[in-house]
Structure formats: C-alpha cells, structure tokens
Amino acid sequence: MSFQTINPATGELVREFPLQSDAEVFAALDTADRLYREDWKFRPIAQRARIVARAAEILRDKRDEYVEYLTLEMGKVTRLGYFEVDLVADILDYYAEHGEEFLAERPLPGEPGAKLINEPIGVILAIEPWNFPYYQLARVAASQLVAGNVVLVKHAESVPQCALAFARLFEEAGAPQGAYTNLFCGVDQIAKLVDDFRVRGVTLTGSERAGAAVGERAGRNLKKAVLELGGSDPALILEGAPLEHAVEQVVMGRTYNSGQGCVNIKRVIVVGRERGEQMLAALQDRFAEIKVGDPKEADTQVGPLSSERALEGLLRQIQEARNAGARIVHGGNRVDRPGFFLEPTIITDITEDNPLYHEEAFGPVLSFYVVDTEEEAIRLANATRFGLGSYVFDADVEHAQQVATRIEAGMVYINSCFADSPSLPFGGVKNSGFGRELAELGIGEFLNRKLVKIPQ
C-alpha cells in the first residue's frame, strides 16, 4: 500500500508516496503530545486563532495552486474547486473569529458560584476521505486548533498532495511542529494510534464499515469518537412543489461534485403519479444535457469519478439494480474515453427487494420513486438505515417544515439542495453516525466542559 496521485481524468499515475514507518508515525505522536502538554493548550485562544486566520489568508492568496491539486487528484471540476477552497477559508476564519466566544466560561443558571469552563483534551486523530479534500480537513482542524487540541490526520490514499498542501498552510501560518500533522499511514497503524492513551479523541468521515471499526476500537479504549458515515439522502417533492424549481435543484443536488457527496440528493420521491411522470421526463431531458468531460473545461458539469474502483463499484450497483428488475431510464454506462467517467444515470422501478433500495450510490446515479400520498413519501424517505441529509420541496414552507420534523435525518433542507456555511452544524443519525462538525457544536465535541463550584 502507498499514497498515490492518479489523475482520474486520464488514469495516469502521477506520483507515489511511501507509507511512513511505525517509528515515524509514533515520533509524530510524541511531538504532538509534547506540544499539547507543554505549549499549545496554554496559549491564549486569540494567539491560536491568529494562526488559523493566517492559514485562511494564505489559502486565499494561493487559490489557484490549491484548486489544481483538487482537479489533479480527485477530478474535481475546476470551477467547483474554487467553491471548496473559498468555503474552507471561510471555515478557518469563522473559528478564528468566534473561538473566544464559543470557549468562554459560562455561569450555570440557578447555581450561584458555579460555572463551566471549556478546556481542550489533547491529541485528536482525524481519518478523512477524498471527496472534499480540504473541506473535510478544515471541519476538524479549524475548530480543534482554536480549542487548544492538536490534530493528527490520516487522509485518503488518493489525495496525498492535497493532504500535504493543507498541512503546509499551518506551517506557513506559524503553527509549531505538532499542532497539525499529516500522516501517510495504514490501517494497522491507525489501530495502534487509537489504542494509544495519548490520543484522546477520534473523528472519521467515511464508510459504515470504517466507522464501525474505528468506533468499536475507540469504545474499547474509552475515548470519544465523532463519525460521519454517508447517507441515502431523499428529496421529497410534495404535491404543492413547483416542479421546474424542484427539477433544477435535484439536478444540481445529484450531480454536484460528480455526485460524490455525503449529502448529495440520492433519492427523489414524488407525490402524485401524474406529477411523477412529468418530473421524470423533465429530469431525463436535463440529464441528457449534462456535459461530462475534462474537469478543467469551463462548461463541464460532471467530471470523472475519483478512481477506477469507484467507477467499477457504481457500474456493479447499476447492473445489480437492473438484474433485480429496476429500469435504467437514462445513462448507466461508462463513458468511452480515458479516465473514470460515468454517464449521469436515472434508475426507477426500484422495489424493496432491490439491493439499490438499501444502498448509497456514491456518484451521479439518481434513484427515482413515485408514491400516491405524502404519508407514503415520508415512510419511504425513512426506510433506510441512513439519516444524514434530506430535502423537502413544497410551495407551502410552513407545511414543509412540519414534514421536516418527521424525517429521520440530521439535516433537512427546504426548497434548496445545499446550504453550506461554517455556522451550520453537520452530522447525522442512525447509521450515518453521531456527533457534529462545524458551528458552535463542532468546537464542543472534543472539550472537557469542567465544572468549577465556589461555596457561597
């Protein structure tokens, strides 16, 4: 195993990085733990925040360079890469600006002389995926560095240059060695790190399988874990929803980032047979217009999938769905060109015994359902072991909010496919994991909320 840059648009192996030895990995842990205990946690919040703010400034100055790594390593459409870079800079600034407020001590109402103080807990181990190579890192690093924790990061094996570039931000911003450390390590080494007492918290964004393994190991070691494990995010198109707007949002929500997002719209559930036929026809027309191609070209809407493995996995899911009786109404094939490209795909007639009914399709593959009643739509939306994002479309916003309360998900978006902001908490329920990142909730996941009581 090694960390490799393989260009998804061509399939070319560009660069390879060897795994670090156990000695190198644990030397990094030694450095991080020593920095935490002797220096970092004692620095004023404002001082730590200045380093994080400086990292944001450097990132904005180097936007073009950082976007190039995104396109090279995971095939991100270049114009969308700028959105990610800008969002990451905003996240860094957000915690730099609000850290002191979020970490301020707070009196306990009704308890004179009692207060809660917020203290860091130590080394946090982050295991992060490839689909948003900087955003996934920033959700952890920005909050935890300001909080006074130090961070060890194992990034995905397919984005090593993104991982190194993000680590350079903090080095150039003046963070001491050990505050933020990138590791090129393997699964066995991660297990040893989780077992080490000096690692006080673990956070992972990834698959159910990875989350279960890391969560189990963290639990055996009695340490806090935050897990974000993907979703099968439904979009409910209620009877009053304007179809033209819903179609536009579904196309964007399913194909953004080439469909490779934890909260991308995965399933569309339309209430009403006639409206279902109308929306399916409109979606077929819109999917036919989507340009799949070179992620560097300005008019490309869907670039390559991240890897040959990802492409083969989706093709297998499509074939298994077809074999189980589903109907492929658009796409479903590999694009005949170098690289890892898939036609944007719409699948319907998916029955409960179809494997796709229960799975997440992590790419530009849309599952389409039509039901007769709103009750059926809600029941179908919740008929999944996942519970990350969901979407409700209706002209009556008050009614849409009522429906939102019945959806088993960590996040519900009304009449919109996305609302990315540093101040909005991110996380799910059921097998989508637990804990939250971003907003004030994110900085609080790895804190000791210490009670101090003075006799009155």
Side-chain angles (χ1 to χ4, degrees):
M1 172 186 166
S2 63
F3 283 66
Q4 297 179 331
T5 299
I6 297 176
N7 186 342
T10 65
E12 173 194 6
L13 174 61
V14 177
R15 193 172 175 188
E16 195 164 0
F17 299 82
L19 285 179
Q20 293 171 286
S21 67
D22 282 4
E24 291 171 316
V25 169
F26 281 89
L29 175 56
D30 291 341
T31 299
D33 179 62
R34 185 168 54 253
L35 176 73
Y36 168 74
R37 288 184 293 102
E38 298 178 0
D39 177 355
W40 191 249
K41 70 176 182 178
F42 298 115
R43 295 193 183 197
I45 297 169
Q47 187 180 127
R48 299 192 298 254
R50 280 196 295 273
I51 291 173
V52 172
R54 177 60 182 147
E57 184 179 7
I58 294 168
L59 180 58
R60 289 192 174 96
D61 289 343
K62 297 184 176 182
R63 287 173 84 233
D64 294 343
E65 175 190 343
Y66 276 71
V67 169
E68 285 180 6
Y69 296 131
L70 296 174
T71 300
L72 172 65
E73 291 200 308
M74 61 80 55
K76 192 179 294 284
V77 173
T78 296
R79 60 186 175 81
L80 301 181
Y82 284 102
F83 293 158
E84 178 174 349
V85 166
D86 291 343
L87 176 59
V88 167
D90 288 345
I91 292 170
L92 295 169
D93 273 339
Y94 173 80
Y95 283 108
E97 293 169 8
H98 295 282
E100 287 189 283
E101 170 194 348
F102 293 157
L103 298 168
E105 63 180 45
R106 299 180 185 184
L108 291 176
E111 288 290 343
K115 61 184 178 181
L116 285 180
I117 60 175
N118 295 302
E119 296 180 342
I121 61 173
V123 179
I124 307 303
L125 174 62
I127 305 155
E128 301 298 332
W130 46 263
N131 59 332
F132 290 91
Y134 305 138
Y135 170 67
Q136 302 284 7
L137 301 179
R139 293 193 329 201
V140 178
S143 60
Q144 298 312 314
L145 291 176
V146 171
N149 293 313
V150 296
V151 183
L152 296 177
V153 175
K154 186 269 178 192
H155 214 331
E157 292 86 353
S158 59
V159 289
Q161 294 191 63
C162 290
L164 291 170
F166 194 79
R168 282 199 303 273
L169 285 177
F170 297 106
E171 181 182 348
E172 294 175 12
Q177 185 179 9
Y180 180 96
T181 306
N182 178 71
L183 297 174
F184 288 153
C185 62
V187 173
D188 290 345
Q189 291 168 313
I190 286 294
K192 293 174 184 176
L193 286 171
V194 176
D195 288 344
D196 194 296
F197 185 81
R198 293 170 295 175
V199 172
R200 300 312 309 147
V202 184
T203 181
L204 175 142
T205 297
S207 67
E208 281 183 277
R209 180 179 176 182
V214 168
E216 178 185 4
R217 199 158 200 118
R220 287 205 307 266
N221 286 280
L222 300 178
K223 54 190 65 174
K224 175 75 177 286
V226 170
L227 303 176
E228 194 272 279
L229 308 178
S232 186
D233 313 77
L236 284 70
I237 316 301
L238 303 184
E239 291 178 291
L243 286 186
E244 184 176 347
H245 174 72
V247 167
E248 174 191 344
Q249 292 296 301
V250 166
V251 172
M252 186 185 307
R254 177 62 286 201
T255 62
Y256 186 83
N257 205 42
S258 301
Q260 301 169 119
C262 300
V263 291
N264 279 74
I265 291 174
K266 313 292 191 338
R267 300 179 291 149
V268 167
I269 304 168
V270 183
V271 178
R273 297 290 164 180
E274 183 177 348
R275 282 166 59 81
E277 291 178 6
Q278 294 171 356
M279 185 157 187
L280 181 58
L283 285 170
Q284 288 176 270
D285 290 343
R286 289 293 304 276
F287 269 52
E289 297 171 353
I290 293 171
K291 182 186 174 184
V292 179
D294 185 343
K296 294 182 179 179
E297 293 183 2
D299 58 347
T300 293
Q301 294 167 275
V302 171
L305 295 170
S306 64
S307 66
E308 181 75 27
R309 179 182 176 184
L311 174 57
E312 290 177 353
L314 280 169
L315 290 170
R316 182 176 62 254
Q317 284 183 291
I318 292 167
Q319 186 58 50
E320 289 175 351
R322 181 188 283 116
N323 293 343
R327 186 162 56 100
I328 315 301
V329 298
H330 186 85
N333 302 301
R334 183 172 190 157
V335 177
D336 186 16
R337 59 174 291 163
F340 313 133
F341 294 86
L342 177 70
E343 295 173 340
T345 300
I346 304 174
I347 305 178
T348 191
D349 295 343
I350 304 165
T351 57
E352 192 171 349
D353 59 353
N354 194 306
L356 189 60
Y357 186 94
H358 305 282
E359 296 173 345
E360 175 183 26
F362 209 69
V365 177
L366 179 67
S367 297
F368 187 89
Y369 300 83
V370 180
V371 296
D372 294 316
T373 68
E374 185 175 288
E375 286 298 318
E376 290 179 271
I378 295 170
R379 187 161 54 248
L380 180 56
N382 291 333
T384 171
R385 64 183 182 271
F386 297 108
L388 190 59
S390 60
Y391 305 83
V392 179
F393 291 86
D394 194 13
D396 185 342
V397 174
E398 183 176 344
H399 179 66
Q401 292 180 75
Q402 294 170 357
V403 171
T405 66
R406 300 181 60 191
I407 304 298
E408 297 167 356
M411 300 168 284
V412 181
Y413 302 90
I414 293 175
N415 292 332
S416 173
C417 64
F418 289 115
D420 287 327
S421 168
S423 57
L424 295 176
F426 190 102
V429 296
K430 301 198 290 191
N431 282 25
S432 288
F434 43 78
R436 292 295 182 268
E437 293 177 334
L438 299 179
E440 184 173 1
L441 295 180
I443 202 170
E445 288 289 357
F446 296 108
L447 291 176
N448 175 21
R449 297 188 182 275
K450 181 184 289 184
L451 168 67
V452 175
K453 179 70 167 76
I454 304 169
Q456 298 296 299

